[in-house]
């Protein structure tokens, strides 16, 4: 499974580190919610990434599809998260036994994992209609890469969702405000950006940008995508 | 898309040592004392702010904070509102009137629940500048968020019932569970924690009223 560190992952791991620094070392290591919750989110993210990868594999390789049914994706996601978190905490000289937390997460995510990875509905896999949208990696200005996902049906796209893969600290909202045809509404995330031609963009604290394309024809949708990329280039400019 | 206006009322209740002791006690008279001490009579809501957002923001927040996939929840609310106002349906259409009320056809409860979760997440972000840590599955609370080292536990409730009394009472009942979880968290960790119980009444498709109770440990 491919799995790259995202801004959200880094945030979750930092939450674990902060929680470890806010407790007595002698306390029981297995029932601190403040460690469990960020770990849960990391495993969910790893599972979703796995589903996206699988979705692409299933579409391109029918034989591989059969093999996927036998894979323990939840176990694999936990192993990846465990390696990453343990490595990060070691670098900070922090120690914690995560095994019991992962047992807890495994119980909680057993059934949701089947839904996320598609195992709960074998028929859906065979029909190659996985519910997790596949993203397109695009190159923005300033060397930033982003995933652009079309949400909805292939012939009826409901929205475009762009999320940077490159880690960035802040968004340049001032640059967007200086653009004559955009109004940034709101005093905090999620910002509501009213763009040209009545387009409304949602800019969130995970640095994702969403725009609804409901009811648009292909040409209008392509124009909308162009404005989305222009806005992303302005927001991610440092 | 059009704008949705959320009229936000709020109150803050500090959880004193006495309240924490009461809410954890196995004795029913202590729990009754806790409920009385945090009641609306002692801690009334005050007007806080009005949040006006584009519909697309609400839909995005539903996708982010809802436990289930909900397809076009705002359309469900709009349709329900039309049935209250005398929607004409074609002759011969078999209406499922057996579950209708004088206020129209029953509203899609999944859409209402999802909107409640989306609005709670939106307000936690906009008002408390909190960022999502996780959205637990099949668990309590609805969202765990954080700002400046403080953990926010967020629980959402929502309704379309005609008056505000119902949603305030539902939110009030939730405070026992929330206070217990906060105290349980505090035992093992020194991080500051706050509980946000957000009850939202969908007045009509363009107007919501949200009641936020902030428990401070």
């Amino acid at each position: 499974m491919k799995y790259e560190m995202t801004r959200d992952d880094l945030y979750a791991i930092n939450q674990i580190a902060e929680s470890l620094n806010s407790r007595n070392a002698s306390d029981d290591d297995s029932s601190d919610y403040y460690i469990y919750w960020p770990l849960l989110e990391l495993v969910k993210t790893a599972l979703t990434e796995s589903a996206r990868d699988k979705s692409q594999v299933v579409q391109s390789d029918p034989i591989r599809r059969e093999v996927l049914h036998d894979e323990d994706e939840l176990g694999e996601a936990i192993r990846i998260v465990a390696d990453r978190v343990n490595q990060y905490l070691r670098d900070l000289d922090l120690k914690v036994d995560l095994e019991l937390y992962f047992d807890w997460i495994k119980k909680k995510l057993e059934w949701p994992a089947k839904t996320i990875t598609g195992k709960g509905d074998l028929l859906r896999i065979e029909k190659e209609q996985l519910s997790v949208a596949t993203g397109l990696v695009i190159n923005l200005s300033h060397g930033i890469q982003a995933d652009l996902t079309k949400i909805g049906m292939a012939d009826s796209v409901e929205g475009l969702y762009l999320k940077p893969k490159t880690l960035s600290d802040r968004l340049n909202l001032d640059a967007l405000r200086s653009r004559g045809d955009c109004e940034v509404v709101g005093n905090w995330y999620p910002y509501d950006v009213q763009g040209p031609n009545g387009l409304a963009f949602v800019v969130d604290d995970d640095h994702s940008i969403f725009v609804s394309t409901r009811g648009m024809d292909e040409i209008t949708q392509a124009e909308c995508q162009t404005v989305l990329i222009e806005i992303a280039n302005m927001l991610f400019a440092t | 898309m059009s704008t949705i206006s959320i009229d936000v009322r709020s109150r803050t209740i500090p959880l004193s040592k006495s309240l924490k002791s009461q809410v954890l006690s196995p004795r029913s008279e202590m729990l009754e004392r806790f409920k009385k001490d945090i009641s609306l009579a002692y801690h009334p809501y005050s007007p806080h702010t009005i949040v006006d957002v584009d519909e697309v923001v609400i839909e995005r927040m539903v996708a982010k904070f809802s436990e289930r996939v909900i397809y076009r929840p705002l359309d469900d609310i709009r349709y329900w509102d039309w049935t209250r106002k005398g929607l004409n349906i074609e002759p011969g259409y078999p209406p499922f009137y057996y579950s209708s009320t004088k206020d129209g056809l029953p509203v899609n409860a999944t859409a209402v629940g999802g909107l409640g979760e989306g609005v709670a997440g939106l307000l936690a972000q906009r008002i408390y500048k909190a960022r999502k840590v996780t959205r637990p599955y099949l668990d309590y609370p609805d969202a765990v968020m954080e700002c400046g080292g403080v953990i926010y536990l967020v629980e959402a409730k929502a309704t379309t019932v005609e008056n505000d009394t119902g949603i305030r009472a539902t939110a009030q009942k939730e405070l026992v569970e929330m206070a217990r979880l906060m105290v349980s968290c505090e035992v093992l960790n020194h991080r500051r924690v706050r509980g946000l119980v957000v009850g939202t009444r969908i007045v009509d498709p363009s107007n919501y009223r949200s009641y936020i109770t902030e428990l401070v440990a």
Side-chain angles (χ1 to χ4, degrees):
Chain A
M1 190 197 311
K2 288 183 296 179
Y3 180 39
E4 292 167 20
M5 188 84 142
T6 66
R7 188 172 176 273
D8 293 342
D9 294 338
L10 201 55
Y11 175 70
I13 296 176
N14 278 325
Q15 287 301 314
I16 296 171
E18 187 165 347
S19 298
L20 284 170
N21 281 324
S22 307
R23 49 181 284 157
N24 300 324
S26 58
D27 281 342
D28 174 51
D29 268 339
S30 63
S31 51
D32 189 336
Y33 274 113
Y34 299 157
I35 294 168
Y36 165 73
W37 281 320
L39 267 185
L40 177 76
E41 189 65 14
L42 286 165
V43 176
K44 275 170 57 183
T45 307
L47 269 172
T48 310
E49 287 298 317
S50 159
R52 284 173 66 126
D53 288 350
K54 193 167 79 172
S55 171
Q56 285 165 344
V57 169
V58 165
Q59 282 165 20
S60 61
D61 185 353
I63 299 166
R64 175 89 174 115
R65 185 192 315 158
E66 298 304 321
V67 181
L68 285 168
H69 290 329
D70 299 326
E71 289 183 357
D72 172 20
E73 267 132 312
L74 181 55
E76 174 72 3
I78 286 175
R79 274 191 294 280
I80 287 171
V81 171
D83 285 350
R84 175 152 292 165
V85 174
N86 281 322
Q87 174 67 46
Y88 192 88
L89 296 179
R90 260 199 306 275
D91 292 347
L92 295 175
D93 217 15
L94 290 167
K95 282 183 186 170
V96 62
D97 180 3
L98 297 175
E99 280 308 307
L100 290 169
Y101 287 102
F102 285 124
D103 286 348
W104 187 2
I105 288 168
K106 207 163 190 172
K107 282 180 192 146
K108 279 286 174 196
L109 289 185
E110 187 182 356
W111 284 102
K114 291 180 194 299
T115 314
I116 292 173
T117 58
K119 280 188 180 172
D121 188 353
L122 298 182
L123 187 65
R124 196 168 58 196
I125 291 178
E126 279 155 17
K127 284 186 174 173
E128 300 182 10
Q129 290 175 344
L130 283 177
S131 58
V132 180
T134 52
L136 176 73
V137 178
I138 57 166
N139 291 310
L140 299 171
S141 311
H142 312 288
I144 290 173
Q145 279 199 326
D147 274 324
L148 179 65
T149 308
K150 292 181 177 181
I151 295 171
M153 300 291 286
D155 57 355
S156 175
V157 176
E158 295 263 309
L160 299 173
Y161 181 78
L162 186 144
K163 194 165 182 182
K165 291 166 80 71
T166 313
L167 298 176
S168 58
D169 289 335
R170 56 181 290 273
L171 293 180
N172 194 345
L173 285 159
D174 289 337
L176 196 57
R177 287 189 183 103
S178 68
R179 189 180 152 127
D181 57 358
C182 278
E183 186 193 358
V184 181
V185 184
N187 57 355
W188 194 254
Y189 300 102
Y191 289 101
D192 169 5
V193 178
Q194 297 292 322
N197 305 322
L199 293 173
F201 299 84
V202 184
V203 178
D204 208 356
D205 54 8
D206 58 2
H207 292 187
S208 66
I209 312 171
F210 175 83
V211 60
S212 172
T213 56
R214 197 174 290 168
M216 286 182 190
D217 58 36
E218 275 187 35
I219 295 168
T220 319
Q221 191 189 303
E223 287 168 0
C224 179
Q225 184 170 320
T226 304
V227 179
L228 171 66
I229 290 170
E230 283 172 14
I231 285 177
N233 279 328
M234 295 183 97
L235 282 172
F236 302 139
T238 48
Chain B
M1 288 198 170
S2 52
T3 300
I4 291 176
S5 182
I6 309 168
D7 176 2
V8 183
R9 320 275 170 100
S10 72
R11 59 182 178 152
T12 303
I13 304 177
L15 284 181
S16 61
K17 279 187 179 175
S18 165
L19 283 173
K20 289 176 186 172
S21 168
Q22 288 166 11
V23 80
L24 289 184
S25 172
R27 304 296 299 268
S28 61
E29 63 263 40
M30 294 301 276
L31 188 59
E32 288 310 311
R33 195 185 292 182
F34 174 83
K35 289 177 182 172
K36 186 182 167 201
D37 288 350
I38 60 158
S39 67
L40 286 164
Y42 291 107
H43 298 278
Y45 289 100
S46 305
H48 188 120
T49 187
I50 295 194
V51 177
D52 292 324
V53 285
D54 193 286
E55 284 189 3
V56 71
V57 176
I58 298 281
E59 288 210 343
R60 194 68 224 133
M61 291 297 103
V62 172
K64 183 175 179 181
F65 287 98
S66 173
E67 197 165 34
R68 286 169 282 189
V69 174
I70 304 171
Y71 185 67
R72 298 189 179 183
L74 295 171
D75 286 353
D76 274 329
I77 298 299
R78 212 168 275 121
Y79 186 77
W80 161 77
D81 190 52
W82 289 341
T83 70
R84 291 195 303 174
K85 293 171 177 168
L87 174 71
N88 288 319
I89 51 177
E90 63 269 35
Y93 184 89
F96 292 102
Y97 278 147
Y98 55 79
S99 56
S100 68
T101 68
K102 65 180 172 56
D103 297 321
L105 290 173
V107 67
N108 180 344
T110 303
V112 174
L115 284 167
E117 290 164 338
V119 168
L122 168 73
L123 298 179
Q125 288 193 196
R126 278 277 177 95
I127 295 176
Y128 297 91
K129 299 189 172 164
R131 181 172 169 186
K132 189 180 88 168
V133 174
T134 191
R135 197 293 172 225
Y137 275 125
L138 306 171
D139 209 344
Y140 189 93
D142 287 325
V144 179
M145 304 179 75
E146 182 268 347
C147 176
V150 179
I151 296 283
Y152 286 87
L153 309 177
V154 184
E155 181 64 14
K157 296 288 166 194
T159 185
T160 52
V161 172
E162 276 288 310
N163 59 62
D164 291 9
T165 315
I167 191 64
R168 281 199 301 252
T170 305
Q172 189 71 24
K173 280 184 195 161
E174 209 55 50
L175 299 182
V176 172
E177 183 87 357
M178 180 58 81
R180 283 180 175 163
L181 180 60
M182 290 167 68
V183 177
S184 165
C185 287
E186 267 194 323
V187 174
L188 276 181
N189 208 296
H190 308 309
R191 289 186 74 166
R192 284 182 295 156
V193 60
R194 295 186 178 192
L196 298 180
V197 175
V198 185
T200 297
R201 183 186 148 218
I202 298 169
V203 181
D204 62 45
S206 305
N207 292 286
Y208 298 178
R209 188 167 298 137
S210 289
Y211 290 92
I212 302 179
T213 301
E214 182 184 2
L215 293 180
V216 182

